[in-house]
Amino acid sequence: MKKIILLTALTLSASSAMAMSRYDSHNMTCSALHDKIAEEGEIVLRYPSHGVNNLMMYDRYVSNSAACVNRGVMSSATVPTSDNPSCKVQRCVSTTGKGHNRK
């Protein structure tokens, strides 16, 4: 019984340590967003859709290509922030095996 409790506690602590932070990009400045990505290495951003009313978008943004290992390649993107509707960030995109992304 003690082993099960210890194993459960270790699993829960490992899961919370590996969880990525989540932020609303439209509540941050572009500079603050860049600082947060650089500090944490990878974060999940939530922001309103450009084309569909009342739809929130989510994606994972990274500080460097090492965060994309086994997850594709790093690609430029933009997200809306409180001071910039097109703040430039980086994210991982999957490779399709077609075009310039072909391995």
Side-chain angles (χ1 to χ4, degrees):
M1 184 66 170
K2 288 182 181 181
K3 287 182 182 180
I4 293 173
I5 293 171
L6 179 61
L7 182 60
T8 302
L10 288 173
T11 302
L12 290 175
S13 66
S15 296
S16 63
M18 294 189 309
M20 273 184 270
S21 299
R22 292 169 178 82
Y23 300 97
D24 289 340
S25 70
H26 59 282
N27 291 335
M28 304 173 79
T29 65
C30 190
S31 177
L33 178 58
H34 288 163
D35 291 346
K36 192 57 71 177
I37 294 171
E39 176 185 325
E40 297 188 26
E42 57 186 31
I43 63 174
V44 172
L45 290 177
R46 176 180 183 249
Y47 54 92
S49 169
H50 294 293
V52 180
N53 289 336
N54 299 320
L55 177 65
M56 294 303 287
M57 305 298 290
Y58 298 83
D59 210 343
R60 176 178 166 267
Y61 296 90
V62 299
S63 62
N64 60 61
S65 60
C68 296
V69 172
N70 296 326
R71 296 182 182 191
V73 296
M74 196 163 75
S75 177
S76 296
T78 62
V79 295
T81 58
S82 63
D83 65 338
N84 185 346
S86 297
C87 180
K88 293 181 181 180
V89 290
Q90 301 291 322
R91 66 187 179 126
C92 301
V93 295
S94 62
T95 56
T96 62
K98 298 179 181 178
H100 69 281
N101 287 335
R102 188 167 69 209
K103 290 185 174 183

